[in-house]
Amino acid sequence: MPVAVEGDDLSYDQHTGAVYAKGKVRITALDQRRFTTEEADGNLKTHDVDIEDKSHMLQLTPGQQRITMDGYKTHYNYEKQTGQMENAKGRVDRQYITAKRIEFYPDVVILYEGTATKCSAQKPDYHISAKKIELYKAKNRMVMYDVKYWLGHVVVHSEKYSEQEMGKDSGSQWPSVGYNNDDGLQIGKTLTRDVAKNVKAELELNYMTKQQFKNVASLNWSNAGNSSSLKYGYFEDTNGHWIKKEPTFTYGYGDHLGSWPFSYSLNFENGRWSQDGKTSNHTYYGISISRDTIVFNNWYLYLSTGYSITKESYDHSTSTGFSYDGTLLRKFDDRWGAFVGYHYTHNNSQNSVFNYALDDYSRKLETGFSYRLTPRDRFVAGWSYDLTGEQLTDVVYYWYHDLYCALFILRYREKRCQ
């Protein structure tokens, strides 16, 4: 493996291969790893590099994770692509990494007593620690052993083994915590595992002090705009309505309509639904078309329409109808924003067997505004109005507080009429 050694002062013994470099030292192997430091020893015949003081490592291999790492007492062999570094700190894709010791191998990087977080703050709000972290280059996977999840200085969850895909959102690896009046204290965790190409198995673990365990197991497939899933478990909508699906199968396909400014989606669901003593074989067919966002100055217009068919074995009913949605958003400046929207859907809780994910009425007007109080705080207020019954149905206030690398959300519902 050709290796280039650069520095302000260089010495080389052609008989032994020993090389010494000092001052702005760069040691590079093409399409592999580069080390930069102020002083280094090495051997061009054995391909060894030794750096006692601080060094910076950059992984340059095309198609693999981009790794940048700072550490001490570095030893590396370019021919074998193996080595180690102590007291390391750096970044792998979007993850910020620390480790007491790192070992480099051709197909994997191993971190001992390591931490990982997406938070770039000096003292992150949350992070993951593990006795051992393996970063597989070919599989683009991060595997962790004896894992602890930290919120500040407090451990909120721990497990023996965890695995996730690098370069993608790792939110499913972080337990969620929340509270509301209907469910009480909530703690949730999603476990994901690849079982075949484009196929993932998921287990959503949810515990609530007022509802106990409400878990969901699913098998999901996606490829080229197609997606399908087989799910079994309990589901809750934004109005606190629960439903049990035992199980249900869903399929969806979406794409953009060529060069036209429109997108479309096709959706299907068939499963056994249960709620409040009612059980039904639920079948849904839907098609929707949406217009690409229309932008003029600081105005944003979103338009969509759809048609659906819902069949229930409980009462042998068939419900068909259109839906229309239009939302206009205005950004006044960096602090102020406002929106107004009109929504119509034929299906509502009055003409359906279940009230899950449905309002009591079909025609709704929504409006609200957003105001940034400080660089880290935003206040949002929203109102919903039943145009059929001519009454105000929902008044909601939100406070969003940025914890640098996490988000605290407080929601207060002054009025709720479902």
Side-chain angles (χ1 to χ4, degrees):
M1 174 65 65
V3 177
V5 180
E6 306 168 72
D8 292 339
D9 296 313
L10 292 172
S11 64
Y12 172 63
D13 188 326
Q14 62 180 348
H15 298 291
T16 63
V19 63
Y20 170 79
K22 185 176 182 180
K24 298 181 181 178
V25 179
R26 289 159 54 98
I27 307 171
T28 308
L30 188 64
D31 290 344
Q32 204 190 112
R33 295 182 174 114
R34 172 190 294 161
F35 291 88
T36 57
T37 185
E38 287 299 315
E39 186 176 11
D41 290 291
N43 191 295
L44 296 184
K45 288 187 175 182
T46 63
H47 304 282
D48 287 306
V49 173
D50 288 287
I51 304 172
E52 184 68 20
D53 207 348
K54 184 179 180 179
S55 64
H56 176 77
M57 187 275 291
L58 170 64
Q59 181 165 293
L60 305 168
T61 310
Q64 296 182 2
Q65 308 108 315
R66 182 178 178 85
I67 301 178
T68 58
M69 201 71 61
D70 293 324
Y72 297 84
K73 296 183 178 180
T74 301
H75 172 78
Y76 190 74
N77 184 284
Y78 277 98
E79 184 178 36
K80 299 176 182 178
Q81 299 184 43
T82 60
Q84 64 182 40
M85 176 186 285
E86 295 184 9
N87 297 323
K89 183 178 182 181
R91 188 171 179 177
V92 179
D93 283 336
R94 293 185 291 171
Q95 294 277 1
Y96 293 88
I97 300 289
T98 69
K100 287 188 176 180
R101 188 175 88 257
I102 294 181
E103 294 180 355
F104 301 102
Y105 297 96
D107 58 345
V108 64
V109 177
I110 302 177
L111 295 78
Y112 296 93
E113 301 296 332
T115 68
T117 180
K118 283 190 176 181
C119 180
S120 60
Q122 201 166 32
K123 294 182 178 180
D125 301 312
Y126 66 89
H127 71 275
I128 301 170
S129 68
K131 287 187 176 180
K132 183 180 178 183
I133 301 176
E134 298 171 346
L135 307 173
Y136 289 92
K137 295 184 287 185
K139 297 181 180 180
N140 204 32
R141 305 292 292 177
M142 180 166 69
V143 178
M144 298 177 287
Y145 304 88
D146 294 322
V147 190
K148 294 181 180 179
Y149 297 84
W150 299 76
L151 188 61
H153 299 289
V154 179
V155 177
V156 296
H157 179 71
S158 63
E159 55 190 353
K160 288 293 184 182
Y161 177 89
S162 180
E163 183 176 340
Q164 70 182 61
E165 187 171 353
M166 297 295 294
K168 290 193 175 182
D169 187 6
S170 59
S172 62
Q173 300 295 319
W174 182 254
S176 61
V177 180
Y179 177 87
N180 65 50
N181 291 338
D182 294 329
D183 302 328
L185 179 66
Q186 310 165 46
I187 300 176
K189 180 75 167 66
T190 301
L191 306 175
T192 305
R193 179 62 59 88
D194 291 328
V195 295
K197 185 179 181 180
N198 302 320
V199 180
K200 292 181 182 292
E202 285 191 356
L203 179 62
E204 300 175 30
L205 302 174
N206 299 290
Y207 176 78
M208 307 168 189
T209 54
K210 294 184 179 180
Q211 300 287 348
Q212 302 302 309
F213 287 99
K214 297 289 186 180
N215 303 325
V216 177
S218 62
L219 190 65
N220 308 304
W221 170 84
S222 62
N223 185 40
N226 297 275
S227 63
S228 65
S229 66
L230 183 65
K231 298 185 177 184
Y232 184 98
Y234 295 88
F235 298 80
E236 183 182 25
D237 66 12
T238 55
N239 287 320
H241 299 145
W242 283 94
I243 197 163
K244 186 178 182 181
K245 301 182 181 183
E246 43 184 354
T248 190
F249 172 79
T250 64
Y251 169 79
Y253 177 78
D255 200 0
H256 199 270
L257 283 170
S259 59
W260 292 7
F262 295 95
S263 298
Y264 70 94
S265 65
L266 306 173
N267 296 281
F268 168 79
E269 181 170 6
N270 179 256
R272 191 166 181 82
W273 287 23
S274 297
Q275 183 189 59
D276 300 331
K278 295 180 291 186
T279 299
S280 176
N281 292 328
H282 173 90
T283 304
Y284 171 86
Y285 307 87
I287 180 173
S288 64
I289 298 176
S290 60
R291 173 66 163 82
D292 292 352
T293 305
I294 301 173
V295 182
F296 45 100
N297 295 328
N298 286 323
W299 294 87
Y300 303 84
L301 179 61
Y302 306 87
L303 299 171
S304 65
T305 185
Y307 184 82
S308 66
I309 302 172
T310 304
K311 296 183 177 182
E312 302 288 357
S313 67
Y314 177 78
D315 58 356
H316 306 287
S317 63
T318 299
S319 176
T320 63
F322 286 92
S323 63
Y324 309 97
D325 289 276
T327 300
L328 181 64
L329 185 148
R330 165 68 165 165
K331 182 180 179 182
F332 297 100
D333 52 38
D334 291 338
R335 286 182 174 270
W336 284 98
F339 72 92
V340 60
Y342 172 80
H343 312 283
Y344 171 83
T345 178
H346 172 75
N347 293 334
N348 58 60
S349 63
Q350 304 304 308
N351 60 22
S352 302
V353 173
F354 304 103
N355 62 4
Y356 175 76
L358 295 174
D359 290 313
D360 288 345
Y361 47 92
S362 291
R363 295 193 303 130
K364 177 166 62 175
L365 180 69
E366 288 187 315
T367 186
F369 71 89
S370 169
Y371 177 70
R372 185 175 294 280
L373 300 165
T374 72
R376 297 176 56 195
D377 296 276
R378 178 174 287 277
F379 174 78
V380 178
W383 294 265
S384 296
Y385 187 79
D386 174 8
L387 293 172
T388 303
E390 298 183 348
Q391 62 174 330
L392 186 67
T393 57
D394 218 349
V395 181
V396 187
Y397 305 103
Y398 292 89
W399 170 41
Y400 297 88
H401 179 64
D402 184 3
L403 295 170
Y404 292 111
C405 299
L407 188 65
F408 171 79
I409 304 174
L410 178 65
R411 182 180 74 169
Y412 173 70
R413 245 175 168 161
E414 180 183 351
K415 181 180 178 65
R416 180 167 130 184
C417 180
Q418 301 157 14

